[in-house]
Amino acid sequence: MGRDLLERDRELDELRGAASDASMGHGRVVLLHGEAGIGKSSLVNALRADPPGGVRVLLGACDAMSTPRPLGPLRDLEHAVGPRLGEALRAGDREEVFAALRDELSDASGTVLVVEDVHWADEATLDALRYLARRIDELPAALVITYRDEIERDHPLGRLLGDLGHGDRVGRLAPRRLSSGAVGELIAGSGLDADRVFETTAGNPYFVREVVASADESGVPRTVVDAVTGRLRRLDALTQEHVEQLAVVPSSVDPTLLAPLVPGGAGALRAAEEGGLLDVSPDGVRFRHELTRRAVVDGLPASRRIELEHAALVALLDVGIDDPARLVHHAAAAGDVDALVEWAPRAARDAAASGAHRQSAAHFRAALGLADRYRPADLVELYEELAIESYTIGAASAAVTAQKRAVALRRELGDARRLGASLRWLSRFDWFDGHRSDAEAAAREASAVLAEAGDPSLHAMALSNEAQLALLAHDTHRALDLAARAIAISRETGDRRVLSHALNNHGTGLLFIGLEEGVGELLEAADAALSIDDIEDAARAFVNLVWALLDQYRLDEAEQHLARALELTERSEFIGFATYQRMEQARLDLARARWDDALALVEPPPDMPHARCVALTVAGTVRLRRGDDGADETLDEAHRLAVELAELQRRGPVAAARAEAALLRGDADAARAIARPEFDEAERREARALRAELAWLLRRAGDEVEVADDDPHPFAVQARGEWRRAAELWRASGAPYHEAAALAESPDEADLIEAIAILDRIGAVPLARRVRAELRDRGARSIPRGPSSLTRANPEGLTERQLGVLRLLAEGLTNAEIADRLVVSVRTVDSHVAAVLAKLGVASRQDAVRIAEERNLLSE
C-alpha cells in the first residue's frame, strides 16, 4: 500500500471484497463515510486503479452546486455505458432511467458503481440509489456510496440512510484519522516537525498532504485555504488564471468545455498537475480534491469570481452544453439576469420531470425572484408550477402562497376554464395547509366557474374535489353523491385522471359506511392513475385504503398495501404522501403495540398540520399506554390542533385517546365529557369505526349507548359487552393491547391474569396496574408480580418484537427470511434490525448476536 493509503488496509479489503462478491453475482451496498479529507476518494481511486479481475468500476459524482443538477452522477456514466441510459436521461423519462440503470448493472457481471459525495445529491439521485439498493440482492453489482458525516438532521440523505438500515447486504466503512506514526511517514523527508503537523491537522490525511505540499521555510500554514493559496501562488501567473477559471466549475471539465476555458487545453495545465492541484486525463480535468477547488474559490475576490463565473456560462453556451441546472448555477453566481430568466424555468421543469422536486421548487423560486421580467401569461404558469412542486414536497404554506398569486393572475387574464382549474388546486392546497373554510370556499367557486366553462372533465374534477372535502369532514353521503356524479362524467369523457380521483372518494366513502365494495373501487382508482402515470392520485388511493383498513383493524391487509404504497411514493418523491404513509405505519405499529417503532416515525414536517395531528395522537397514545411522562401534554397539543383543523377525522381519535387517559386514571366523568360530543358527531355522520371505539369508551365510563347488533367491528363487539368474542377478534387482528383490555373485562380471574401477562410483555404499565388492582379488590391470592425480572434480563430496553428479531438473527436468517417467518414486510424487518443494532450500540448483526449471547438475551 502506498503512502496515500496508510492505515487503510481494512477499508480497501472491504471494497475489494464487495467487488469480488459482485463478480460472483452477490450484490452489496457499501456506505463509505467520514469527514472531508479523510480519504474516501483515495480509497475509491485505489479500487479503480486495481479492481479484482473481470470487475468494471463506474464512477459518478454529485457536484457542490447551489442547486444540484438532477441525476448528475448518472449523467456522468453516459460515456461508459450503453446508449439506453443516455437516451432515457435526455428524454426525461424517470422510470426508464431507473430501468436502464438496473439493466446496465444486470447485463455485465461484476460491476462496482461508485457514487461520490452523495451529501450533495439531488432528490432524484437519492431515489435512484434507493431503487438500486432495494434490488441489490438481484444484481451482480456493488453500489458504493460516499458521503460526509456532517449532514443536518433533516437532510434528505438521512432518510435514504435510514431506509438502507443495516441489512445483510449493507456494509459501512468509516475511515479513521491517521495516527501520529502514519503522519510521520507521510511527512518523511519534508523537514517538518511531525508532532506539530499532527497537532495542526489532527491526522486528517488531506490536511497533512496540503501542509507537506505547501510548507516552506516560513512554517506550517494555518488553514487549508492558506495551504492551497500558497501552492497556487508558486505557479506562473497564466497557470494561476487557468486554475482559478477551472475552480468555479463544480464538476469535471471535459475536453469540449476545456478548450474555451483554457486556451492551450490540457497542455497548459502541466505545472498545476505537477504541483498536485489537478488531475488531467483524456476524459477531462478535475481538482485532486473538492476541498482544494473550494479553497481556490474561497480565496478569490468577489469581482474576480463574477468574471470567471460569467466566462464559464458563456463557454457552456458556446459549446452547446444545454444542461439547465449547470447554466443556472453559473448565471446566478455571475448575476446574469437574462440567463436566469431564460434557464431557471427550464431547469425547474427538467428537475420536476426527473423527480427532483425540491430542486425544481428551488429553480422556480429563482425564476420568480425576477417576476417582473415575465409576461403575465408565463408568470401565472410559473406560480402554479411552483405551487404544485411545493405541495409535492410537503411545503403546504408555500404552495398556498404561490397558488393564491396564480389565482389572482388568472382573474386578471379572464380565462374561466383556467381560473376554475386553479381554484380547484387552491382548494386542495388550502386543506393541506389546515385551512378548511378557505378550501371549501375555493372548491365552491371552482365548481361554479367550471359548470359554465364548457369543459366537462374539469367540471367533474371540481365536483370530485368537493366530494373529497365532504369525505374528509365525514359528510359521507354528500361525498358519495358528488363522487358518483364525477364518475359518471369521467366515464363518458374517458378521462382516467378524473375517474381515478372520483373513484378514490367514492370507494373511501363506501368503506366509511362499512361496504366492502370500497376496496375494489380504491384499487381501481390506483390502477387508473398508474395507467396515466398520475402518482399523486395513485398514492392518495393507497393512503385512503390503508387508512380505512387501519380504522377497521384489518392490520395484515393494511400492512400489505402499505408496503406497496411506500415504495411507490418514495420512488416518485411524493414527500407529502410518503409522510402520511409513515403516519399510517405509526398507527399500525401502535395497534400492534410496537411502541418504539411507532414513536420513531412520528416526526412530520411542522408545515403539515394534518399529519402532525396524527403524529401527536399516536405519540400521546403510546406514552399513555406505556405510562411515560408527557402523555397528557402531547394529547392536549393534539386536541388543540384538531380543533383548529375542524374535522371529525382529527378530533375523534384525539378524543378517544384523551377519554382512555381519563379512564386509566379513574375519572369516568371526564371520560364521558370528552367522548360523548364526538360520539354524537360520529353517530350523525355514520363514522362507523370511530363511533364503535367511542361507544366502548363510553360504556367503560358507565354511559349506556346503542350499538347495532350487526356491527362486526371489535370495538362494537366489546361495547355490546361481548368481551370474550372481542378478545378473540383482537387476537386475530394482532392487536395485543386491545386483546388484553377485552380480557380485563372478564369476571374470571384467569382471564385477568392472562391480560396481565400480555400487558407486561408489551410494557403497558398503567392498564396492568389497574388490572392488578382489580384482582386485589376481588381478593385474588396469586397476582403476578410484574416485569422486573424481564427488565433485569433486558436492560437494553429491547421490545418483545425486537427480542424476537434478535433471536432469528442468531439463527442466521436473512432479513427476507425473517420477514417470511414473522409475516411482515422486509422493510419492517429492516427497521427492527436497525433498532436492535442501535440499542445494543453495535454496527453489525454478528456483533449484536455476540452481545446478546453474552448478556443472555436470547432465552425465551
Side-chain angles (χ1 to χ4, degrees):
M1 182 177 296
R3 290 174 62 184
D4 281 351
L5 286 175
L6 291 173
E7 299 181 336
R8 295 292 184 261
D9 300 84
R10 181 184 67 84
E11 290 85 355
L12 187 55
D13 286 346
E14 284 281 339
L15 288 178
R16 292 181 61 82
S20 296
D21 285 351
S23 69
M24 294 184 286
H26 306 303
R28 287 176 58 185
V29 176
V30 179
L31 303 176
L32 178 55
H33 60 100
E35 65 183 282
I38 201 65
K40 302 181 292 293
S41 295
S42 296
L43 283 165
V44 168
N45 290 336
L47 178 66
R48 293 177 69 199
D50 185 25
V55 173
R56 66 169 177 167
V57 181
L58 301 176
L59 177 66
C62 305
D63 301 321
M65 297 175 62
S66 52
T67 301
R69 58 182 180 137
L71 299 170
L74 303 191
R75 299 177 195 276
D76 291 344
L77 305 181
E78 285 192 55
H79 68 281
V81 301
R84 182 182 173 193
L85 178 60
E87 292 167 0
L89 287 166
R90 285 186 289 276
D93 187 335
R94 175 191 174 90
E95 296 301 317
E96 176 63 13
V97 167
F98 287 6
L101 183 60
R102 179 197 61 216
D103 291 350
E104 180 67 37
L105 298 184
S106 299
D107 291 344
S109 181
T111 298
V112 177
L113 172 58
V114 181
V115 182
E116 287 203 284
D117 296 325
V118 177
H119 47 277
W120 288 320
D122 63 288
E123 298 284 339
T125 294
L126 294 177
D127 287 345
L129 296 177
R130 182 182 290 107
Y131 174 88
L132 289 178
R134 287 180 177 170
R135 292 158 179 79
I136 202 67
D137 285 345
E138 310 162 10
L139 299 172
L143 175 60
V144 178
I145 298 171
T146 81
Y147 60 94
R148 294 183 188 173
D149 285 333
E150 57 267 25
I151 59 172
E152 298 175 359
R153 182 179 180 184
D154 60 349
H155 194 290
L157 174 58
R159 190 155 55 92
L160 170 63
L161 298 176
D163 289 345
L164 294 181
H166 294 75
D168 294 340
R169 294 295 179 186
V170 179
R172 283 172 162 76
L173 292 178
R176 297 182 179 181
R177 292 186 174 191
L178 300 178
S179 66
S180 58
V183 171
E185 287 188 55
L186 277 178
I187 70 170
S190 68
L192 297 173
D193 180 87
D195 291 338
R196 184 178 178 192
V197 171
F198 181 70
E199 181 182 354
T200 300
T201 65
N204 182 291
Y206 170 79
F207 295 163
V208 173
R209 294 189 191 95
E210 287 302 309
V211 163
V212 172
S214 61
D216 53 27
E217 64 279 358
S218 63
V220 176
R222 290 179 299 174
T223 67
V224 174
V225 173
D226 292 339
V228 173
T229 302
R231 295 171 67 188
L232 182 62
R233 296 299 173 244
R234 295 176 192 171
L235 302 175
D236 64 88
L238 185 58
T239 304
Q240 287 185 45
E241 290 181 7
H242 294 334
V243 171
E244 290 172 350
Q245 177 64 77
L246 294 175
V248 301
V249 182
S251 61
S252 179
V253 178
D254 63 30
T256 302
L257 183 59
L258 183 63
L261 288 179
V262 179
L269 299 172
R270 179 176 177 180
E273 181 184 17
E274 291 174 347
L277 293 170
L278 302 176
D279 279 330
V280 179
S281 73
D283 294 330
V285 177
R286 67 181 309 133
F287 279 80
R288 285 277 178 91
H289 200 285
E290 170 60 21
L291 288 174
T292 303
R293 186 194 73 82
R294 188 71 252 174
V296 174
V297 173
D298 288 346
L300 293 172
S303 57
R304 173 67 172 153
R305 181 175 177 184
I306 291 172
E307 174 190 357
L308 296 172
E309 295 280 8
H310 187 265
L313 174 64
V314 170
L316 284 167
L317 292 170
D318 285 348
V319 300
I321 298 177
D322 60 349
D323 184 329
R326 292 179 69 182
L327 293 168
V328 168
H329 170 83
H330 292 294
D336 191 323
V337 173
D338 291 338
L340 277 174
V341 167
E342 178 180 358
W343 289 99
R346 294 175 60 175
R349 290 162 187 149
D350 183 54
S354 299
H357 298 289
R358 290 183 188 276
Q359 286 69 45
S360 176
H363 286 307
F364 277 125
R365 287 194 296 270
L368 288 166
L370 302 166
D372 60 338
R373 298 292 297 271
Y374 296 95
R375 296 182 301 114
D378 296 326
L379 186 60
V380 69
E381 297 294 337
L382 292 176
Y383 275 122
E384 196 148 86
E385 288 172 286
L386 172 59
I388 292 171
E389 293 303 303
S390 299
Y391 166 67
T392 300
I393 62 176
S397 296
V400 169
T401 299
Q403 191 64 19
K404 283 183 175 178
R405 291 177 178 172
V407 167
L409 285 167
R410 295 285 187 209
R411 294 188 193 282
E412 293 176 11
L413 292 170
D415 186 327
R417 178 179 169 278
R418 289 179 176 271
L419 171 60
S422 290
L423 285 164
R424 201 274 303 178
W425 273 116
L426 178 59
S427 171
R428 178 61 178 161
F429 302 157
D430 271 327
W431 179 86
F432 204 63
D433 198 29
H435 302 296
R436 180 173 183 86
S437 59
D438 291 342
E440 289 176 335
R444 287 192 298 271
E445 185 181 1
S447 293
V449 168
L450 290 169
E452 306 296 329
D455 189 321
S457 286
L458 282 179
H459 183 222
M461 181 62 87
L463 293 173
S464 186
N465 181 67
E466 287 198 86
Q468 184 178 5
L469 286 170
L471 188 73
L472 292 166
H474 273 285
D475 190 352
T476 307
H477 289 290
R478 180 168 183 267
L480 289 171
D481 176 62
L482 289 164
R485 290 168 59 191
I487 289 170
I489 295 172
S490 66
R491 293 200 188 279
E492 289 177 7
T493 62
D495 191 319
R496 296 187 65 77
R497 180 164 185 266
V498 178
L499 176 64
S500 171
H501 196 277
L503 280 171
N504 208 323
N505 299 320
H506 199 268
T508 306
L510 292 177
L511 282 176
F512 277 5
I513 61 175
L515 297 179
E516 189 65 15
E517 299 95 314
V519 173
E521 288 197 359
L522 285 168
L523 291 175
E524 183 185 354
D527 289 341
L530 290 173
S531 71
I532 55 173
D533 201 30
D534 180 358
I535 304 301
E536 182 202 358
D537 279 326
R540 191 167 71 89
F542 281 120
V543 164
N544 288 345
L545 175 58
V546 172
W547 201 275
L549 293 172
L550 288 172
D551 283 346
Q552 296 175 15
Y553 280 84
R554 295 160 64 175
L555 303 184
D556 289 340
E557 292 177 71
E559 188 157 25
Q560 291 170 5
H561 290 297
L562 182 57
R564 180 185 174 193
L566 278 166
E567 182 176 358
L568 172 71
T569 50
E570 289 183 348
R571 190 178 75 232
S572 306
E573 207 214 327
F574 253 87
I575 305 302
F577 281 115
T579 298
Y580 269 103
Q581 287 161 348
R582 286 198 297 277
M583 296 306 99
E584 289 180 323
Q585 181 68 57
R587 289 187 65 202
L588 177 65
D589 289 333
L590 171 65
R592 294 203 188 280
R594 300 192 297 236
W595 316 122
D596 289 342
D597 297 337
L599 288 177
L601 291 164
V602 289
E603 288 191 17
D607 59 350
M608 294 182 64
H610 288 275
R612 178 166 174 74
C613 189
V614 177
L616 289 167
T617 306
V618 170
T621 305
V622 168
R623 291 168 184 153
L624 166 70
R625 292 177 182 172
R626 291 203 308 198
D628 295 344
D629 293 337
D632 288 338
E633 292 82 356
T634 303
L635 290 174
D636 286 346
E637 185 181 352
H639 171 66
R640 287 192 294 272
L641 182 54
V643 170
E644 289 176 14
L645 295 172
E647 290 181 351
L648 181 63
Q649 66 166 339
R650 303 292 174 241
R651 293 197 319 269
V654 178
R658 293 173 69 231
E660 182 181 333
L663 288 171
L664 283 173
R665 62 177 179 264
D667 191 343
D669 290 340
R672 288 193 297 271
I674 292 168
R676 189 75 209 199
E678 302 303 341
F679 171 81
D680 292 341
E681 178 88 354
E683 176 89 353
R684 184 170 67 82
R685 294 187 179 276
E686 295 187 49
R688 292 167 64 96
L690 181 59
R691 179 182 63 189
E693 182 174 7
L694 292 168
W696 167 68
L697 288 163
L698 286 168
R699 177 179 170 275
R700 294 295 296 160
D703 190 350
E704 294 299 325
V705 292
E706 290 285 335
V707 181
D709 291 338
D710 60 349
D711 190 338
H713 197 289
F715 274 130
V717 174
Q718 204 166 343
R720 291 196 295 267
E722 302 172 32
W723 61 266
R724 185 170 296 282
R725 174 60 180 152
E728 292 170 355
L729 291 171
W730 289 124
R731 184 181 303 115
S733 68
Y737 183 85
H738 296 304
E739 178 190 352
L743 289 170
E745 297 180 21
S746 169
D748 190 330
E749 289 183 7
D751 291 320
L752 269 63
I753 290 172
E754 183 181 351
I756 288 175
I758 295 171
L759 295 169
D760 286 347
R761 188 185 78 238
I762 63 178
V765 176
L767 185 55
R769 186 184 300 124
R770 291 192 64 81
V771 178
R772 284 189 171 87
E774 174 72 14
L775 282 169
R776 283 193 294 272
D777 290 344
R778 295 184 187 187
R781 295 184 177 181
S782 179
I783 302 174
R785 292 183 59 188
S788 58
S789 60
L790 174 63
T791 302
R792 286 195 297 270
N794 177 21
E796 290 76 14
L798 296 170
T799 65
E800 187 67 24
R801 173 51 66 91
Q802 290 163 357
L803 284 168
V805 168
L806 184 54
R807 294 183 188 110
L808 296 176
L809 290 177
E811 293 181 24
L813 273 61
T814 66
N815 286 14
E817 291 167 340
I818 293 173
D820 289 339
R821 181 80 65 89
L822 299 179
V823 197
V824 297
S825 69
V826 176
R827 180 186 184 82
T828 298
V829 174
D830 289 343
S831 297
H832 288 315
V833 172
V836 168
L837 298 182
K839 287 186 177 181
L840 295 180
V842 296
S844 71
R845 300 154 61 92
Q846 293 77 14
D847 287 343
V849 172
R850 175 179 55 77
I851 288 179
E853 291 170 344
E854 292 173 356
R855 301 178 186 175
N856 194 30
L857 298 177
L858 300 179
S859 58
E860 291 289 345

